[in-house]
Amino acid sequence: MARAMLEYTKTILDKVSFDASLFCKEVQKAVNRLLPYEIEELKQYILSLVQQNPELNQCMVYLKA
C-alpha cells in the first residue's frame, strides 16, 4: 500500500510540474503522508524533475527536514 502512495505522489507531481506553487503544495502533502525512506526516494525523483524545470528547485526546502 505504501509503495502505491509513493507512485501516486510521483504521478501527481509530474502532472503539476508546470506550476511551481502547486508543485510545492503537493510536495508538502507528500512529506506528511510518506514514510522516511519513501521521502528519500521522492527526493531523487524531484531532483530529476528539477533538472528539467529549474524553477521547481524552490520546493526542495520542504524535503530538507
Side-chain angles (χ1 to χ4, degrees), residues 3 7-8 10 13 15-18 21-22 26 29 33 36 40 45 48 52 56 58 62-63:
R3 186 79 189 160
E7 293 305 318
Y8 173 74
K10 287 180 180 180
L13 290 176
K15 289 182 180 183
V16 299
S17 63
F18 67 92
S21 66
L22 238 142
E26 291 299 328
K29 287 184 198 176
R33 70 177 157 229
E40 287 301 316
Y45 177 74
S48 69
Q52 298 167 14
L56 300 178
Q58 65 189 5
Y62 300 114
L63 297 170

Side-chain angles (χ1 to χ4, degrees), residues 21-32:
S21 66
L22 238 142
F23 188 83
C24 287
K25 286 180 186 177
E26 291 299 328
V27 169
Q28 285 178 304
K29 287 184 198 176
V31 168
N32 289 330

Side-chain angles (χ1 to χ4, degrees), residues 1-2 6 18-19 22 31 40 49-50 53-55 59 62:
M1 177 70 176
L6 177 61
F18 67 92
D19 181 4
L22 238 142
V31 168
E40 287 301 316
L49 283 178
V50 167
N53 303 324
E55 68 274 0
C59 301
Y62 300 114

